[in-house]
Amino acid sequence: MDRVNATTPSASSADDPARAAFAALRTPEGAQLLAELRDHDPADELATATRLRRAHPAELVSAALGQARLRQRAAAKFGAEDAYRMYFTPNGVEQATRTSVAAHRAARFAGLGVRSVADLCCGIGGDAIALARAGISVLAVDRDPLTAEVARANAEALGLADLIEVRCADVTEIDTAPYDAVFVDPARRGGRGRIFDPEAYSPPLSWATAAALKAPRAALKIAPGIPHEAIGPEAEAEWISDGGDVKEAVLWYGEGFAPGAFRATLLPSGATLSAPAPLPAPPVGPVGRYLYEPDGAVIRAHLVADLVERCGGRLVDETIAYVTSDEPYSSPYVAGYEITDELPFSMKRLKALLRERQIGVLTVKKRGSAVEPEELRRRMKLSGPGSATVFLTRVAGAPTMLIGHPLG
């Protein structure tokens, strides 16, 4: 197979202004500008641009300022050490996998002995980087010439060019037979924003699934809101949260995975909860002394019933993912609270109670309520040294306020 890890962009980039601007950023002058802009304040961008244009071409200054903004945004996903060495496109920052999630996925592959992966729709190379750092050889493919050049530049910038081959091509034309595994990250954004229909992904989920089933092992990155009925029985479905926020879902195929199983994984701890099949609907009952808020990955994976069974509790409402029990329960998959009050929903009554208890700091959580937390806090006119948490929800179908405080 022909390697295309050239150290300089192809000559045809001169015909594409975006690629020409990117090529200029990789010159010594461009690198100097990016280093100078590392800590610049976007609020001062106009003055900065005016100053820099006295010594550098206007087009290069514009490109460097744009790249500096992207690097600042990317630091949250990639960490500052990597982000300020890497290159990005606006779509690349938006759609790239967070480093912690990519590393988790790469570790699952590496743990099964995978030594080579065809990374289809590689974007700016976030997953390819994680795979390479796990010791896996990667063919990274993207059909957009600029995106492929950015991925190649990132492999070089991070010292991974020997493990990452970048190819600009249509992923549907790639022969994945020589590779131990396939990873597909279809584009889930279009000109009008997010795409919710899996068959409108690029490439469609049906094509990605077919490609996965041909490989010894495979992973498909999908939106966490995918309907469960769109997941075929051949896949193990995993929802991943990082710091309590659900980031993505992955469909795993092949040897070493559990077809039909649902899994929730929490990062950075790596705690993982799985069930071979959905459990029966959990019991519903009155609010006990304790309330548990499951992690979003657990909810997305439809594993709340598993938690109810583990804690010997019940749901407060058949449509609400709040679990309650009469005894305390500790688990990485839930945040626990001790409930002191259960009241019918009433702004006036809540305001009086908070004033009586001198609550100055109020955490508002809601599930099954249309009330906006910020609006509620504004209307409460909070004052005092105390703190509390209020849950706006439904209990047995009735709008209810549950007041308490975190366990531990």
Side-chain angles (χ1 to χ4, degrees), residues 32-378:
Q32 175 192 337
L33 269 176
L34 287 174
E36 186 174 340
L37 290 168
R38 172 174 173 138
D39 298 318
H40 95 287
D41 185 348
D44 298 330
E45 190 162 297
L46 181 58
T48 301
T50 301
R51 174 177 57 81
L52 292 176
R53 282 170 181 160
R54 297 190 188 111
H56 304 280
E59 295 82 1
L60 178 59
V61 171
S62 295
L65 284 167
Q67 190 62 223
R69 288 194 299 271
L70 293 175
R71 284 180 167 183
Q72 288 178 347
R73 286 173 54 195
K77 280 189 175 183
F78 290 87
E81 184 177 351
D82 280 353
Y84 285 102
R85 290 189 289 164
M86 294 171 65
Y87 299 89
F88 302 94
T89 65
N91 284 341
V93 171
E94 187 70 33
Q95 298 184 30
T97 302
R98 181 177 292 265
T99 291
S100 56
V101 178
H104 162 73
R105 187 162 43 234
R108 287 201 77 182
F109 270 140
L112 292 170
V114 169
R115 307 309 302 162
S116 63
V117 171
D119 177 2
L120 309 182
C121 310
C122 68
I124 56 94
D127 281 281
I129 289 165
L131 290 164
R133 284 176 167 167
I136 296 171
S137 176
V138 185
L139 169 67
V141 183
D142 201 282
R143 69 180 180 182
D144 179 67
L146 174 60
T147 303
E149 287 181 13
V150 172
R152 186 176 300 116
N154 287 336
E156 294 171 1
L158 299 180
L160 299 169
D162 289 345
L163 282 169
I164 301 174
E165 173 191 350
V166 180
R167 188 180 303 176
C168 183
D170 186 329
V171 298
T172 63
E173 298 174 357
I174 297 297
D175 178 14
T176 61
Y179 300 89
D180 295 341
V182 168
F183 171 63
V184 190
D185 181 6
R188 296 177 301 284
R189 285 183 178 272
R192 297 183 179 179
R194 290 185 181 179
I195 297 171
F196 296 97
D197 177 7
E199 283 308 295
Y201 292 173
S202 180
L205 181 61
S206 56
W207 180 89
T209 301
L213 291 172
K214 293 176 184 176
R217 296 184 178 92
L220 308 185
K221 177 180 171 181
I222 54 174
I226 187 171
H228 280 221
E229 56 269 22
I231 300 172
E234 310 91 347
E236 174 190 308
E238 179 181 29
W239 282 261
I240 304 169
S241 69
D242 189 2
D245 294 328
V246 182
K247 295 302 179 183
E248 67 179 60
V250 189
L251 303 183
W252 297 95
Y253 299 84
E255 186 180 352
F257 305 112
F262 290 166
R263 178 184 297 272
T265 298
L266 282 54
L267 301 177
S269 71
T272 189
L273 180 69
S274 64
L279 294 173
V284 179
V287 177
R289 182 175 177 180
Y290 301 98
L291 189 77
Y292 306 102
E293 182 181 29
D295 184 271
V298 173
I299 296 172
R300 293 280 194 177
H302 292 189
L303 294 173
V304 174
D306 187 271
L307 289 178
V308 172
E309 187 176 83
R310 287 168 180 251
C311 75
R314 53 203 175 266
L315 298 181
V316 301
D317 185 280
E318 64 181 356
T319 64
I320 303 292
Y322 282 140
V323 180
T324 188
S325 72
D326 303 312
E327 300 294 333
Y329 171 70
S330 178
S331 165
Y333 307 108
V334 299
Y337 299 83
E338 184 172 9
I339 299 302
T340 56
D341 300 87
E342 177 183 353
L343 304 168
F345 178 78
S346 165
M347 288 278 201
K348 183 176 180 180
R349 194 166 179 181
L350 178 61
K351 186 175 181 179
L353 185 147
L354 296 176
R355 183 186 299 117
E356 175 188 334
R357 296 185 183 172
Q358 298 184 306
I359 300 299
V361 178
L362 183 67
T363 300
V364 181
K365 293 180 172 288
K366 69 169 193 169
R367 199 162 278 162
S369 171
V371 176
E372 290 300 326
E374 288 304 322
E375 173 65 11
L376 182 140
R377 269 192 290 265
R378 185 185 65 79

